[in-house]
Amino acid sequence: DVKVTQSSRYLVKRTGEKVFLECVQDMDHENMFWYRQDPGLGLRLIYFSYDVKMKEKGDIPEGYSVSREKKERFSLILESASTNQTSMYLCASSHAIVEQYFGPGTRLTVT
Amino acid sequence: AQSVTQLDSQVPVFEEAPVELRCNYSSSVSVYLFWYVQYPNQGLQLLLKYLSGSTLVESINGFEAEFNKSQTSFHLRKPSVHISDTAEYFCAVTSSNTGKLIFGQGTTLQVKP
């Protein structure tokens, strides 16, 4: 069965902290994605990766970076967390360019 | 650029009534269309998808959607809803050129007893 896991379901961090969100998939998918979900805005793409060590900016990359050192793992990094980054973060993976499989999400609160 | 509009942010409906969740998209190239469902405190799950072929696609739990190219729509329907269908529903589009999913704003389906 397809599985995407995220390191934390809930996370509380202070303004200015460096935050790491981890995502692991066990399906040997080449594509991985990070989204943030906010009420009334749907899901917005932050970064995605089509291969190891490869990354591309999505629609809202400002304030975020990513790392993909291994095929199964895709990390989202908030270099200096701010309150406007309080949100639900969803990771997804896919094979080829269609159907994406999502993790359960990490609800991040920055205080 | 591609975009997706879900015309209703909330749809309240009584149990066993029919429901339609509306989705319109804009794109200058061929598209693939998806409906995802998100139950409370969970990630998104694929409900159904249109890639090619028959314009009417169905899910295993009674939902269906019809791809209408002339009206650029992909509305989701169910003839009789259950309490367990209460969730948020997202319409999404991707093109064969990019592979990136563009999501609508989401529609919350509230099924009342």
Side-chain angles (χ1 to χ4, degrees):
Chain A
D1 206 14
V2 167
K3 196 156 188 181
V4 179
T5 56
Q6 296 183 228
S7 51
S8 305
R9 292 298 305 272
Y10 300 94
L11 209 53
V12 180
K13 295 292 182 181
R14 294 194 180 277
T15 301
E17 278 193 81
K18 191 169 186 175
V19 181
F20 293 86
L21 302 182
E22 303 285 335
C23 175
V24 177
Q25 51 97 1
D26 65 359
M27 299 158 285
D28 201 35
H29 285 167
E30 60 272 20
N31 306 320
M32 297 189 74
F33 307 82
W34 274 106
Y35 297 89
R36 64 175 282 175
Q37 180 182 8
D38 300 288
L41 298 178
L43 277 74
R44 292 177 293 168
L45 182 64
I46 304 171
Y47 267 97
F48 60 104
S49 169
Y50 286 145
D51 202 350
V52 175
K53 295 189 185 295
M54 176 273 178
K55 61 185 179 184
E56 287 196 29
K57 293 180 180 178
D59 301 316
I60 51 164
E62 296 78 19
Y64 303 94
S65 62
V66 291
S67 172
R68 192 164 181 202
E69 296 296 319
K70 294 185 178 181
K71 190 175 185 179
E72 67 271 18
R73 188 179 298 270
F74 192 35
S75 303
L76 180 69
I77 304 155
L78 287 67
E79 295 289 343
S80 178
S82 64
T83 54
N84 63 13
Q85 292 178 310
T86 291
S87 186
M88 170 72 87
Y89 290 88
L90 291 164
C91 175
S93 72
S94 75
H95 171 62
I97 62 167
V98 286
E99 181 179 342
Q100 293 184 17
Y101 295 86
F102 284 81
T106 296
R107 188 168 295 280
L108 173 66
T109 302
V110 182
T111 62
Chain B
Q2 295 173 328
S3 67
V4 177
T5 302
Q6 292 182 241
L7 296 161
D8 306 293
S9 60
Q10 293 190 346
V11 174
V13 64
F14 286 105
E15 194 173 18
E16 297 184 5
V19 70
E20 177 180 81
L21 306 184
R22 296 179 293 170
C23 172
N24 287 92
Y25 69 93
S26 67
S27 178
S28 58
V29 298
S30 297
V31 295
Y32 304 132
L33 294 155
F34 305 83
W35 276 100
Y36 282 85
V37 59
Q38 185 179 35
Y39 298 105
N41 299 315
Q42 295 186 26
L44 274 69
Q45 303 172 31
L46 181 68
L47 189 59
L48 47 75
K49 61 187 176 186
Y50 170 78
L51 303 181
S52 64
S54 173
T55 56
L56 183 65
V57 290
E58 299 176 351
S59 73
I60 59 173
N61 58 352
F63 283 94
E64 64 179 31
E66 186 158 20
F67 169 53
N68 188 320
K69 189 174 182 179
S70 63
Q71 297 187 3
T72 60
S73 68
F74 191 54
H75 301 331
L76 182 69
R77 301 182 182 95
K78 189 170 185 179
S80 176
V81 294
H82 301 132
I83 295 287
S84 59
D85 293 323
T86 294
E88 189 157 20
Y89 292 79
F90 292 94
C91 182
V93 63
T94 187
S95 76
S96 56
N97 293 334
T98 69
K100 289 165 47 177
L101 275 178
I102 307 297
F103 284 87
Q105 302 89 332
T107 298
T108 300
L109 176 62
Q110 300 164 323
V111 182
K112 304 175 182 179

